């Protein structure tokens, strides 16, 4: 289906809003332009982080079109939905507009291996076997646990499966298991980009990941760590990663994480506001002070990050 | 907001489909006309039973308009959605089209009492405080447990709360507790119509329910049981109820229930097909034979039901 | 391991308590003697219904010994525990005391097929491969979903697997699938006795179940339905079953069910008290009146049940 | 009940095992002696980390007695159990043996605020109101979400509530909310020691926590961070914390964390083995190499930690 496998860093984009809840397209433009400027290899929009379920169908499509218009690298569009009609509609429209692939998360009602495999078969039938898709494997939030064997079944049964967004936790052994399947010939090669805010990116690269697909507010760091890791500069990769870890850890708190990211991106001048659509938790004054402190400390360790955030 | 409280039987309508997945509007017309002919007091569409998440937004609205055009009694429209934008859109359009109220189920991620209360506050803000709404309390499927005290908080905080669709299991004590709140003056009177396929309707009426809001394939029985119960004809109410209980129990199986209902409604000549949109479990040949047997046995105990189903 | 497969009715025994929380051994004697008198084919103690987690280890063992002393048919002992050390201790002691098998429920943390299969492998290693065991498949309460394929893997991997306590809901197709595995030679024959209070026993027998393993307060009915069904007297089996269904349905309410059963068994003169150990929900006065009414109605339809309950 | 509130660092002790599964009391002695040597303010045994559910009752009690015999500071004993009989037995015996308090986690079946509050009321009735207890608030693993208001209700209703083991995630605002309750006079002062491996200890101290109650394999660091934070040496506290964060983050992986901790404690010469009782995941060779690398890097940043681990 595709000539080459994706690799590198695909930031997960938050959806910028005005304080009154309207989509902030000017900020979205800046965000996309920023990804291009730093050399991101691709980009994912309308994921969980992107507050996708809070959007009307027409808004989602407007966002897709806006991004496609400014972004030349592969664009992945989250199309997870409670039913296949809505999933199909957005997937077909997104691809028609120029998206490279769609991302599908399993509904939390799935329990057995067979249910998970069947769900992806039905989803592919709904969106069409010509639409490349990404498996989102995120048990902490989705409550669906996919073994490496289940992922293999999905990959093997569906030629249009283009990538695994790996977001299990813990997940290092899963990467090793999947790469082992490829080596022993029981699974075709598939791109594995990792999530979880990058919390284990240092070792995920060493286990065989192809890059990151996550929303940390300094994607520059993700790009550098991936590059350093590929170049075999292990200590340098870890040094840079460790410098960001205190903030990254703070950002990775469930629920609060999006607010932290939007706040940092606002401080960086990329987003005009850190507003979320309801229901969404904002940061307390205490939390903002904590993030400011983390940014100030980060500036001491990563001079570029300090410059980027004005800290 | 409304001059009188709802009572009686509001059938929950399945959404008829053609075998190819298109909405079967002719069958929908017959279904609605049937509810009118038997004297149903109201009707709910686009609930969980109505396969609402499988519909595109435009289809949902078409169904609302079709029903409003044929149905003079109150129409309740399920508007549960993963986000408030979609919920608001359907709710406003449904009411503009003539619906009497909307039904809102809590998302399964809610855990604490405060989260549940806040969710309904946010939902009311989204759809507008002028739109009457129904609380759907269905822990078995939704995994959200609302105590009587939480329901009271929602009712008291939101004048637009028009009804409780009571579908806890077990739930008899909950009805008693809520009626107790009304008697001791801590909660305003609110209509309580019960679900669960009617599995406890006999006793729910005796505990103070105002009627049924469920999808059993012989709503005629529900109507008669509610009437007999109101008239104090206890033994007759139970006799009729018990005659239907073997089928009703069979119909109440999670997941399979909708297939049974559609099959019975097809056998009754109301639906042209018993098709569901994907993903949906159909009946095996063995299950159809079992339903046929139950219908034949029902015909021996309730002659009218036998006539209605051709058994 | 055993010369013949179990079949028939194995009542699940509640654990009788005095109002002060002590085990009521005199009532336990009466209960066991009653099972013997009516011709029960076996008996299960210390299941979920038996309030097993509320017992100290020494109490559990005392109960096992008391039952073994009075009961000649196979005794199954629930040994589910949060860890294998406690499971092993009770299992070994129970079998040493004369129990025929133990019953093991999967912990609710299990999600994937492999996790479930591994859990039973570890459990068998812990209790010893010489101890016959029963799989408890009860997703509604345990939140673990076992496909027919997973059950087959457990049965085939463990010669000491003696029986499936089938308590899925819906579950008729599961029985058919497992019997199909036996017919196509991919699974050895294993006894399937069904639970869920008997709510689907009428059809479960027709699908191939070997009997019932559940706690309905009139096990006499279960025994007769199983016998009638085996004899091919279908209508008679359903007639008797349907007569009990209103009470059986009432008894099958989650949480409240045990209180209903103990109350009926007390009314029947078998238990001295209907007390549960804390935490346990008793029946309200309204609920007791409802059960009394159901017993009175049952007496009109099943004269023997009326005599047995004094209704 | 107690003259003063606990504060400082109470390590959570793993339970050392021999490779054949027996409790390794010699390693337990070394572990306890180590806690004493570094000046730990207390210690918790038989928690989730301590593999408590895998122990027989007699083993648990042996461990309590062994620890009490060597340890003069307050000892907290985890007594969470599926039923109150077992909880009561261990709690009474532990306190009789000299334990200072017991820790109680809510069972995962609890959903509503009232259920949680009632559970602790029942637990206190079971263990006796004279036994100080610790609330374990750990939603990620236990699936029970306690609002600050629910914790307040438990604290106010139970004078024997001695401490909150705070392990919500995210949890910083919860600490602030509880300290706010104390300031506004609606909740008495209660000790708050934090868990989650210490992942947010830096900020938890600043929000008002009294210390840490967690199992990070270098409790020396926790002790120093708590001390530095109390002394207002903020940057130093964060510097030390950040040096450990890469390892701490690795150790905090669900499921795998215990294996990492035991491995590090073995490398430190405190435990003779890193064995777990079944079922328990060990570390792969790849994971051990990763931990070794993290230890080597830690040694560069925290010279003492390097010396302690031989890295």
């Amino acid at each position: 289906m595709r000539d080459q496998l994706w690799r590198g860093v695909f930031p997960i984009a938050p959806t910028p809003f005005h304080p009154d809840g309207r989509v902030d397209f000017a900020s979205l433009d800046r965000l996309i332009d920023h990804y291009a400027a730093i050399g991101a290899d691709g980009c994912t929009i309308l994921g969980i982080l992107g507050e996708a379920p809070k959007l009307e169908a027409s808004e989602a499509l407007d966002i897709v079109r806006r991004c496609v218009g400014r972004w030349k690298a592969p664009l992945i569009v989250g199309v997870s939905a409670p039913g296949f009609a809505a999933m199909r509609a957005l997937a077909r429209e997104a691809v028609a507009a120029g998206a490279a692939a769609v991302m599908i998360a399993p509904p939390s009602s799935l329990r057995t291996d067979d249910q998970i495999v069947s769900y992806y078969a039905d989803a592919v039938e709904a969106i069409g076997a010509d639409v490349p898709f990404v498996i989102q494997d995120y048990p902490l939030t989705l409550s669906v646990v996919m073994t490496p064997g289940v992922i293999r079944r999905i990959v093997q049964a569906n030629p249009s499966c283009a990538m695994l967004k790996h977001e299990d936790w813990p997940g290092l052994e899963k990467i090793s298991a999947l790469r082992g399947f490829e080596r022993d010939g029981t699974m075709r090669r598939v791109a594995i980009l990792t999530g979880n805010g990058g919390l284990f990116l240092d070792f995920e690269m060493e286990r065989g990941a192809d890059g990151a697909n996550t929303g940390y507010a300094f994607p520059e760091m993700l790009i550098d760590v991936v590059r350093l890791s590929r170049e075999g500069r292990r200590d340098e990769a870890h040094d840079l990663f460790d410098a960001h870890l205190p903030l990254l850890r703070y950002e990775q708190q469930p629920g609060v994480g999006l607010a932290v990211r939007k706040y940092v991106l606002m401080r960086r001048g990329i987003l005009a506001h850190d507003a979320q659509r309801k229901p969404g938790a904002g940061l307390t004054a205490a939390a903002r002070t904590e993030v400011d402190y983390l940014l100030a400390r980060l500036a001491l360790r990563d001079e570029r990050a300090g410059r980027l955030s004005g800290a």
Side-chain angles (χ1 to χ4, degrees), chain A residues 262-284:
Chain A
K262 286 194 158 179
Y263 176 68
V264 176
L265 289 169
M266 184 179 70
R267 275 209 37 176
R268 295 190 58 184
I270 297 171
L271 300 190
H273 319 280
D274 62 352
Q276 294 176 45
R277 272 207 181 159
K278 284 199 171 183
L283 292 187
T284 61

Side-chain angles (χ1 to χ4, degrees), chain A residues 12-17 47-52 54 215 217 250-265 271 273-277 279-283:
Chain A
I12 304 264
T15 301
F17 292 105
I48 295 170
L49 181 75
E51 300 174 69
K54 301 179 187 171
Y250 195 96
E251 205 191 84
Q252 190 55 7
Q253 298 176 79
V256 176
L258 175 59
V260 177
R261 282 177 187 169
K262 286 194 158 179
Y263 176 68
V264 176
L265 289 169
L271 300 190
H273 319 280
D274 62 352
Q276 294 176 45
R277 272 207 181 159
L283 292 187

Side-chain angles (χ1 to χ4, degrees), chain A residues 65 67 81 103 107-108 143-144 150 187 196 230 243 246 248 262:
Chain A
R65 290 186 178 128
C67 292
M103 180 166 69
S108 61
S143 301
V144 176
V150 161
M187 189 178 93
N196 274 323
R230 275 193 200 147
L248 196 157
K262 286 194 158 179

Side-chain angles (χ1 to χ4, degrees), chain A residues 1 11 25 45 65 68 87-88 99-100 103-104 109 112 128 133 149 153 173 190 202 207 224 226 279:
Chain A
M1 174 165 284
F25 285 102
I45 60 170
R65 290 186 178 128
V68 167
M87 181 190 291
R88 174 188 168 80
M103 180 166 69
I104 299 173
S109 56
T112 71
F133 75 93
R153 288 171 64 187
E173 302 304 334
V190 70
D202 46 351
R207 293 289 188 116
D224 288 346
V226 166

Side-chain angles (χ1 to χ4, degrees), chain A residues 110-121 144-151 153-154:
Chain A
L110 302 181
R111 279 293 168 270
T112 71
D113 289 5
D114 289 348
Q115 286 171 343
I116 300 167
V117 172
S118 293
Y119 182 80
Y120 277 95
V144 176
V145 182
M146 301 187 199
T147 61
V150 161
I151 293 168
R153 288 171 64 187
I154 298 170

Side-chain angles (χ1 to χ4, degrees), chain A residues 120-142:
Chain A
Y120 277 95
D122 288 345
V124 167
E125 186 185 311
I127 65 174
D130 57 324
V131 174
F133 75 93
V134 174
I135 303 170
Q136 184 172 20
D137 179 22
Y138 191 14
L140 179 65
T141 290
L142 302 170

